[in-house]
Every structure is written in structure tokens, then in C-alpha cells.
Amino acid sequence: MLLAGTILVGLGITHLNVLTPSVVATYELNHTAFYTTAYSLAIMVGSSVFSLLTHPLSSTFGWWSVLVVLLMLTMFPWLMWILFRLPVPLRSQAKRADNQSVKSIHEPDLKMTAAPLWQNRYA
């Protein structure tokens, strides 16, 4: 059971490491590196802190207390995401003075919508 759980956690982290830059680029185009670094740091610090707290919590309150703390730690960001979810920004085309569209790497001509990430050619 421990091996299966470790495999599932590893698969989850692997998928999130691949998808995080795409999701961040959808909402914060100019801060992708910062948020990706913050995500990686949170994964490392979070696993270290939770490993340090697991034994004292289980010794004092029982094994179920560790599960309750883990559930609360995962539900809080999920609730914040649901309550404060920002709409996906639409990027308009860059316009010249004569209103002709200009294609640029920084201002793509593709309007960003809520399309799946795998269909976004800039992701």
C-alpha cells in the first residue's frame, strides 16, 4: 500500500511539474518562472515540514490526526481556488497606428479562452 501511494504521489507531482508552467502562463504570462519556482519550493518545503510533523502528531493525537491535517492542508487551497478563481484573460492582438494587426512572440494573435491546455499552441 505504501508503494502504491508513493507511485501515485510521484505521478501527481510529475504531471503538475509539466502542467504548472502552462497554467501559470494562462493567468500570469510575465511571471511564469516566479510561480513555477514558488510551486517547486512549496513542494519541497511542504514535504519536509509534513514529514517533521507526522511523528509528533501521530504520537500525541493518533494516526487519524495526521490524516485530518493532511485533508485540511489539501482542502484549503482547493477552496481558495474555487472561491477566488480568476477568469482566463483574453489577449487582444497588438495594433499598429493604422489598425493593422502585428504578429509578435510577446503578443500572439490567438485569443486565450478557456480551451484545454493541450489545444493551446503557446502552452
Side-chain angles (χ1 to χ4, degrees):
M1 191 62 129
L2 182 63
L3 182 62
T6 304
I7 290 172
L8 286 176
V9 168
L11 287 173
I13 290 173
T14 302
H15 281 86
L16 284 174
N17 280 338
V18 171
L19 291 177
T20 298
S22 300
V23 172
V24 170
T26 301
Y27 290 97
E28 293 289 335
L29 184 62
N30 297 326
H31 303 289
T32 305
F34 173 76
Y35 286 117
T36 304
T37 304
Y39 162 75
S40 297
L41 182 65
I43 290 290
M44 291 184 288
V45 171
S47 64
S48 300
V49 169
F50 196 73
S51 294
L52 287 172
L53 294 177
T54 300
H55 180 69
L57 278 174
S58 64
S59 298
T60 307
F61 301 109
W63 63 268
W64 55 269
S65 65
V66 176
L67 295 178
V68 170
V69 169
L70 185 59
L71 179 67
M72 289 187 313
L73 287 174
T74 55
M75 294 305 287
F76 180 72
W78 181 74
L79 278 172
M80 293 297 107
W81 176 261
I82 295 297
L83 293 175
F84 301 110
R85 183 173 41 195
L86 299 174
V88 178
L90 294 176
R91 293 187 207 145
S92 61
Q93 295 179 350
K95 301 288 182 180
R96 289 187 190 162
D98 57 354
N99 288 334
Q100 292 179 353
S101 63
V102 176
K103 289 185 180 180
S104 166
I105 295 173
H106 302 292
E107 299 267 348
D109 60 345
L110 176 70
K111 288 191 175 191
M112 299 297 289
T113 60
L117 290 173
W118 57 87
Q119 293 177 356
N120 183 352
R121 66 180 183 184
Y122 296 106

